[in-house]
Amino acid sequence: MSNRDQAILVANSNYHVGQQIAVRVAEEQGYFREEGFLNYEYEFRGLIPGPLEPEGLAAAVKDHGLDIVTAVNIDSIICQRSRGAALYVVAGWRYESNPDLKWYAAKNIRELSQLRGRKIGVREPGDLMQYSLSKALRMAGLDPEQDVQWIYDAAFAYRSNPAHVEMLKSGKVDAVSSAPPFSEQLEAEGYSMVLDPKTNRSRGRLGKVIIATKQTIEERGDELSAFLRAIIRSFWFMRDRDHFEYLRDLELKLRRNSHNDEERVVQLLSSPGKVEGWTLPIDLAVSRTDVSETIQEMLHLKQLKQAIDPEEVVRDALVTAAYREVSGRPELQPALKKAEAAVRKWGF
């Protein structure tokens, strides 16, 4: 980890442009500067491939000497904490489900259990869509590693490319995630909705988090707090539909500069609604219920050998204090009120 006289090292766990935007907003809008987060370096190209995260996260953090990692899958950090890694969840980052996300299947398939032996379209191994659907498949009695075939294609990213609908209609895949206006088209043509992840919870569970090393929390807490205050302000900015054009242009700029072939051709922010309904927790809070449910699910699926107390996973005192501080500033009330309005509208 970094010494006190070295820059704090921040890394994005994956290479996705969408997960880089909050840091770039904090830089461009001056939030890092205003909050006093000045001595840092940011590695945005991706720390570790998603499928390797549960086993390799701690080793990757150690090898790179990192202090803070964003966009970490919550099951990965739970797995690492269960093995004693000196890493902790310090804040929330993303909810699992987008507000407009639903899963559709071929016309002869009416429920998830009928996907046995079928082809399912997702963007890439280990992405959040595969992660969330895999959990639902297990609950339906299917093994997502043995009982279905995953078809990987950039056309399935963000449900904004009409090609994902054509791949379902042509039979190249038997199930896809979709969103308006394409999901409305599928429903009108008689395709079955087999999963709505928001049926039981409007926002889905907390799916991605910010983690930090024990040393960073205990020895560089002031700097970590400054980082968290800036990211809270970035999330407020990113939930404001009036910033759609700026955020769209920022995304396109980052994609042009990406070294990943797929990242240069996909697009996340296709409408103001995508901004306002972004699955960003405006307080960066970490729900103990979400963590506990994930632990119980991992035990049920034999992804954990024994239970772990959520309090052994989460250290969120700094983010709680950070939100209390920024939300109490008079000059930030307009931004906070817009973020709160988005929460009321979308349910998260």
Side-chain angles (χ1 to χ4, degrees), residues 218-267:
E218 295 179 353
E219 298 181 14
R220 305 189 74 168
D222 290 348
E223 291 161 283
L224 175 56
S225 294
F227 173 80
L228 295 171
R229 290 195 302 270
I231 295 300
I232 289 169
R233 295 177 64 185
S234 286
F235 278 13
W236 294 355
F237 185 96
M238 293 161 66
R239 294 291 300 270
D240 185 345
R241 65 187 296 121
D242 291 341
H243 298 148
F244 166 66
E245 291 186 1
Y246 165 84
L247 291 165
R248 179 199 58 198
D249 292 346
L250 174 59
E251 178 195 1
L252 293 176
K253 178 178 70 175
L254 295 175
R255 293 199 184 283
R256 286 194 299 270
N257 294 333
S258 174
H259 289 265
N260 182 276
D261 292 340
E262 285 188 3
E263 284 296 291
R264 291 195 295 271
V265 299
V266 300
Q267 184 177 359

Side-chain angles (χ1 to χ4, degrees), residues 326-334:
V326 295
S327 63
R329 296 178 189 169
E331 70 275 16
L332 298 184
Q333 293 309 300

Side-chain angles (χ1 to χ4, degrees), residues 111-117 133-148 300-301:
E111 55 188 39
L112 287 177
S113 61
Q114 294 178 297
L115 286 173
R116 188 182 302 274
L133 182 60
S134 292
K135 293 195 298 183
L137 289 173
R138 290 188 181 99
M139 294 302 177
L142 301 185
D143 182 340
E145 296 180 3
Q146 302 293 331
D147 294 335
V148 299
H300 175 72
L301 299 173

